[in-house]
Amino acid sequence: MNPQAVMTSSQIEQVNEPKVGQQKASIIVKILTVMGMMSLMGGTLTGFMTYINLGLSDTFFADWFSAFALAAVTIMPIGFTLMVVLTKLTEKYLPHTSEKVRNVLIGLTMACLMESGIALSTVINNIGINDMPILLSTWAQTVLAALPVALVMMITVSLTIKPKVEAILKS
């Protein structure tokens, strides 16, 4: 046995102990990771949906930003919570299914749910709630137009980014 490869129990404990300030950095990394993922998804979808609703105009970026801000404080926290719940449910009820298949199922479900919610908040932001038939019609058109974008994004995120985000959040 190589004497240099042997570690005492106190040395092992020292290696496993978190460094001073490491806990705060870990929490900051977790928050930034979630915010980055939410910004990527929400920013892209609200931008696309704002373009669908209003076209490209002088006020496009202001309209997009206000739609993104509304979605960020309403729909996105709900979506993050739903993703956690769906992940736990698929792990519980589909334990023998591969993680990749579970992630695709979660991605498809999240794409439909989040896109519907973000479309609603974007349409409310862009046209208001005064005329309900126009609101519902515009919402339906927005959902249908943005569905391909949402599906591609959510499946891609579920297969690539989500596992990495989960690993960071579990650490």
Side-chain angles (χ1 to χ4, degrees):
M1 177 181 258
N2 184 353
Q4 294 174 342
V6 176
M7 293 179 72
T8 66
S9 61
S10 64
Q11 289 172 323
I12 292 171
E13 287 174 13
Q14 287 176 349
V15 169
N16 291 332
E17 284 180 8
K19 306 286 186 267
V20 176
Q22 187 176 8
Q23 186 69 16
K24 285 185 180 182
S26 179
I27 290 170
I28 290 170
V29 168
K30 290 177 183 181
I31 291 170
L32 290 175
T33 302
V34 169
M35 288 177 64
M37 188 170 144
M38 288 171 46
S39 297
L40 169 71
M41 300 299 295
T44 303
L45 284 175
T46 55
F48 187 71
M49 291 173 180
T50 298
Y51 176 75
I52 290 168
N53 292 162
L54 304 175
L56 198 55
S57 68
D58 293 340
T59 62
F60 173 80
F61 289 105
D63 296 332
W64 165 74
F65 182 75
S66 63
F68 174 71
L70 179 61
V73 298
T74 57
I75 305 302
M76 289 184 210
I78 294 168
F80 180 74
T81 304
L82 276 174
M83 186 179 287
V84 171
V85 169
L86 284 173
T87 299
K88 290 182 188 238
L89 287 173
T90 58
E91 288 171 355
K92 180 178 180 180
Y93 292 111
L94 301 171
H96 302 296
T97 307
S98 75
E99 183 178 359
K100 205 169 253 189
V101 170
R102 287 193 312 255
N103 283 338
V104 168
L105 289 172
I106 292 167
L108 290 170
T109 304
M110 288 301 299
C112 294
L113 293 173
M114 288 301 294
E115 191 215 348
S116 296
I118 289 174
L120 182 61
S121 71
T122 301
V123 169
I124 288 171
N125 182 74
N126 291 337
I127 66 167
I129 58 172
N130 294 333
D131 191 344
M132 204 52 79
I134 290 176
L135 173 78
L136 293 175
S137 170
T138 306
W139 170 79
Q141 291 171 351
T142 303
V143 167
L144 291 175
L147 186 60
V149 174
L151 287 172
V152 169
M153 284 181 59
M154 284 306 290
I155 290 172
T156 302
V157 166
S158 291
L159 293 174
T160 58
I161 298 172
K162 180 181 173 280
K164 292 176 179 131
V165 170
E166 286 176 338
I168 290 170
L169 295 177
K170 287 179 182 176
S171 67

